[in-house]
């Protein structure tokens, strides 16, 4: 068959476009029909008032409650704007052609461009595009061209994820919203009334708002490679709770099996502190025994949950390098420790006993009790699979590129959490605690009274 000398007619291409994008045809047509019908039935003034009221309502929502607008409407509006302005038609085709990611139809010599199926924009700085590959293309081809794509899209990096046969996801990180400077430690709260244990400030989100985390009925799991900034998430909660530490409404224990190097400077803050294996096991056992005693007291009082007070303080067990307790310790004793930790984490919620674990290797082999943690933070990790191990299946595809975070001081403390009330990953950065910040915290908590304990 001879190759055609004419391209398809404009009307045919318009019909094909409408079939591929029914929403872009049906929604405007439906709105226009509804407005026209209401104008006929109710008159132009009434219809104008309804439309104007709707516009003003959306504008009022945008201005009056940015948090809910950004969470509910923001992702949809960003995805719509970027789909039809950034990743649209000829521009998308030119980008892929420049990156050698198009094919040629052998019968017509026409350029065939991999088609966009869907655009998501869960955060201001990360987009996810579902792309249907042309026949003969593979995900590996796009992985090879990922750097070229990033530059062509004016993005920092592009990651490629296989969705299903012939469909891939391009996760496009457009910018680092935090800059190179660390986030300074928050001002020390001085009164217990300033502290909300349901919303302790840990740093900032990519939206520029405070990143908060509840420590009531929660177990916090933090994973990150060496140098990722895990230490910030050990000290930031304690700083946010400072008045309650001073008043003994919160009593933290810590296990630091790296010879105590991380926690030595803040040792007076802790109710118990262990830097040797035998002491660490003893701390876990004592923590479990206190849990059982608290449960007995609450049962006698007919209470189903605790209220933080001097009599029933919130108890936190912070374990720096959790893998030493759950995998790398003496095999004969690790099983017992795992059983104790599982008992604490399954029963501690109502009684006010929480565990914070910090680990480099988040696999099930290293942390068999990983699924018992209720809140999770993924800092910079060393492989793609670890992102979903920490945050849940599909989180990397949705934009949690934690394995792409550079391990340098400019990116320390940056990671991802799963946004509350949704399944979207939220990029966050923990505030950095200098040695002087920790000394100031110790002085504030311990000033005018003896130490909380004898340090192990």
């Amino acid at each position: 068959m001879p190759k055609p000398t004419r391209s398809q007619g404009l009307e045919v291409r318009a019909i094909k476009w409408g079939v591929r994008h029914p929403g872009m045809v049906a929604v405007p047509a439906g709105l226009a029909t509804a407005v026209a019908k209401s104008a006929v039935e109710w008159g132009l003034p009434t219809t104008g008032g309804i439309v104007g009221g709707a516009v003003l309502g959306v504008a009022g929502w945008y201005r009056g409650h940015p948090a809910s607008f950004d969470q509910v409407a923001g992702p949809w509006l960003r995805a719509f704007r970027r789909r039809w302005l950034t990743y649209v038609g000829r521009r998308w085709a030119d980008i892929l052609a420049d990156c050698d990611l198009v094919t040629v139809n052998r019968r017509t010599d026409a350029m065939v461009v991999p088609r966009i199926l869907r655009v998501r924009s869960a955060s201001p700085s990360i987009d996810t595009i579902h792309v249907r590959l042309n026949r003969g293309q593979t995900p590996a081809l796009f992985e090879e061209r990922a750097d070229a794509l990033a530059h062509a899209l004016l993005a920092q990096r592009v990651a490629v994820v296989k969705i299903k046969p012939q469909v891939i996801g391009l996760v496009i990180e457009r910018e680092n919203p935090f800059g190179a400077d660390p986030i300074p430690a928050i001002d020390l709260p001085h009164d217990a009334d300033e502290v909300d244990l349901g919303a302790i400030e840990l740093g900032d989100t990519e939206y520029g708002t405070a990143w908060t985390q509840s420590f009531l009925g929660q177990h916090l799991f933090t994973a990150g490679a060496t140098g990722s900034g895990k230490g910030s998430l050990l000290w930031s909660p304690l700083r946010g709770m400072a008045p309650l530490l001073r008043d003994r409404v919160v009593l933290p224990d810590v296990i630091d099996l790296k010879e105590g190097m991380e926690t030595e400077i803040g040792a007076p803050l802790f109710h118990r502190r262990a830097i040797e294996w035998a002491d660490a096991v003893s701390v876990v056992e004592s923590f479990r025994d206190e849990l059982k005693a608290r449960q007995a007291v609450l049962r006698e009082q007919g209470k189903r949950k605790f209220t933080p007070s001097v009599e029933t303080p919130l108890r936190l067990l912070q374990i720096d390098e959790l893998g030493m307790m759950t995998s790398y310790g003496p095999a004969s004793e690790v099983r017992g420790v795992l059983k104790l930790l599982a008992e604490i984490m399954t029963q501690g919620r109502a009684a006010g006993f929480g565990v914070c674990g910090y680990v480099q290797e988040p696999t099930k082999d290293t942390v068999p009790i990983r699924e018992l943690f209720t809140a999770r933070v993924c800092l910079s990790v060393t492989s793609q699979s670890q992102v979903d191990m920490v945050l849940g299946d599909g989180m990397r595809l949705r934009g949690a590129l934690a394995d792409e975070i550079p391990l340098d001081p400019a990116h320390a403390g940056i990671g991802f959490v799963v946004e509350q009330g949704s399944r979207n990953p939220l990029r966050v950065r923990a505030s950095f605690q200098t040695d002087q910040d920790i000394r100031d915290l110790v002085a504030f908590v311990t000033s005018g009274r003896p130490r909380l304990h004898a340090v192990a």
Side-chain angles (χ1 to χ4, degrees):
M1 178 182 295
K3 294 181 179 179
T5 58
R6 294 181 297 110
S7 60
Q8 282 184 333
L10 180 62
E11 71 282 2
V12 175
R13 283 182 285 164
I15 292 171
K16 291 174 66 176
W17 185 91
V19 170
R20 288 177 177 177
H21 308 288
M24 290 297 294
V25 176
V27 172
L31 289 175
T33 301
V35 170
K37 184 177 179 180
S38 63
V40 171
E41 293 182 357
W42 301 330
L44 287 175
T46 302
T47 301
I50 293 173
V51 173
V55 172
L56 288 175
V58 172
W61 181 20
Y62 172 79
R63 298 289 293 177
H65 204 282
S68 64
F69 186 91
D70 290 345
Q71 181 177 358
V72 177
W76 184 86
L77 291 174
R78 274 193 308 271
F80 182 86
R81 174 171 55 84
R82 289 177 178 168
R83 172 65 183 93
W84 299 110
L85 293 180
T86 304
Y87 310 119
V88 68
R90 178 51 58 187
R91 185 171 188 273
W92 173 250
D94 288 346
I95 287 172
L96 294 196
D98 291 342
C99 296
D100 294 328
L101 291 170
V102 297
T103 58
V104 176
N105 188 309
R106 290 181 298 173
R107 288 179 290 184
T108 64
D109 284 338
M111 183 175 71
V112 183
V113 181
R115 185 161 63 89
I116 293 176
L117 302 178
R118 181 179 187 182
V119 175
R120 281 179 171 172
S121 187
S123 75
S125 55
I126 290 182
D127 299 334
T128 300
I129 306 176
H130 289 200
V131 177
R132 181 176 297 283
L133 302 180
N134 294 339
R135 191 164 56 185
Q137 291 184 325
T138 65
L141 177 64
F142 278 74
E143 290 173 355
E144 293 172 5
R145 304 285 195 274
D147 284 344
L149 266 176
H151 287 286
L153 291 166
L154 303 179
Q156 288 202 359
R157 55 184 57 87
V158 171
V160 180
V161 181
K162 182 179 178 181
I163 308 283
K164 61 182 181 180
Q166 213 177 350
V167 177
I168 61 170
L170 298 178
V171 185
I172 301 167
E173 183 178 328
R174 310 199 65 84
E175 62 181 359
N176 174 10
F178 301 109
D181 296 329
I183 296 172
I186 65 168
D187 294 337
L188 273 171
H190 283 71
D191 297 319
D193 292 342
E194 299 178 51
V195 180
D196 178 4
L197 287 173
I200 297 296
E201 185 172 343
L202 302 181
D204 288 350
T205 73
E206 60 187 316
Y207 296 100
T209 59
W211 168 31
T212 61
Q213 170 61 47
S214 173
F215 285 85
L216 293 174
Q218 299 288 334
H219 305 297
L220 180 64
F221 183 67
T222 301
T226 300
S228 62
K230 293 191 297 296
S232 296
L233 287 168
L234 189 151
W235 297 112
S236 291
L238 300 181
R239 189 175 185 87
M241 302 173 184
L244 301 186
L245 295 178
R246 178 196 60 199
D247 299 341
R248 304 192 186 193
V249 177
V250 176
L251 293 181
D253 293 349
V254 71
I255 295 172
D256 180 5
L257 294 183
K258 294 184 290 188
E259 298 298 324
M261 292 180 61
E262 174 65 36
T263 57
E264 181 64 30
I265 191 172
L269 297 172
F270 299 103
H271 180 59
R272 297 189 186 90
R273 174 173 175 261
I275 63 174
E276 301 289 344
W277 173 263
D279 293 332
V281 175
S282 177
V283 166
V284 176
E285 290 175 341
S286 298
F287 198 80
R288 191 282 310 269
D289 292 344
E290 289 182 16
L291 165 63
K292 305 306 287 186
R294 173 79 60 83
Q295 288 175 322
V297 170
L298 294 176
R299 184 173 60 251
E300 290 174 1
Q301 296 174 348
K303 296 180 179 178
R304 298 177 59 190
K305 61 186 299 185
F306 93 116
T307 300
S309 66
V310 175
E311 292 73 27
T312 57
L314 174 67
R315 298 287 281 111
L316 291 179
L317 174 59
Q318 295 179 296
I319 306 176
D320 191 22
E321 193 41 61
L322 179 62
M324 294 295 295
M325 295 296 295
T326 59
S327 180
Y328 304 136
S332 59
E333 299 183 44
V334 163
R335 289 190 295 273
V337 170
L338 284 171
K339 183 178 179 181
L340 290 171
L341 289 173
E343 186 176 356
I344 292 167
M345 296 172 72
T346 54
Q347 300 182 26
R349 178 184 179 92
F353 283 70
V355 177
C356 299
Y358 310 86
V359 68
Q360 295 182 40
E361 178 64 41
T363 64
K364 272 285 193 177
D365 290 338
T366 303
V367 190
I369 55 172
R370 187 182 68 205
E371 299 303 323
L372 297 180
F373 286 93
T374 56
R376 304 179 184 194
V377 182
C378 188
L379 303 176
S380 178
V381 290
T382 56
S383 71
Q384 297 181 8
S385 61
Q386 290 180 351
V387 177
D388 287 355
M389 289 179 192
V390 178
L391 299 178
D393 290 343
M395 285 299 107
R396 189 177 188 277
L397 173 62
R398 290 174 179 262
L401 300 181
D403 57 297
E404 300 277 351
I405 300 173
L407 283 169
D408 58 33
H411 294 82
I414 295 178
F416 291 87
V417 298
V418 178
E419 194 173 8
Q420 293 184 356
S422 75
R423 287 288 292 163
N424 292 327
L426 178 68
R427 185 155 43 170
V428 294
R429 188 170 195 176
S431 57
F432 177 65
Q433 315 289 311
T434 65
D435 288 354
Q436 188 57 49
D437 290 329
I438 299 171
R439 292 190 184 97
D440 292 343
L441 174 61
V442 171
F444 173 81
V445 170
T446 62
S447 178
R449 66 169 174 80
R451 284 186 170 190
L452 289 173
H453 62 100
V455 178

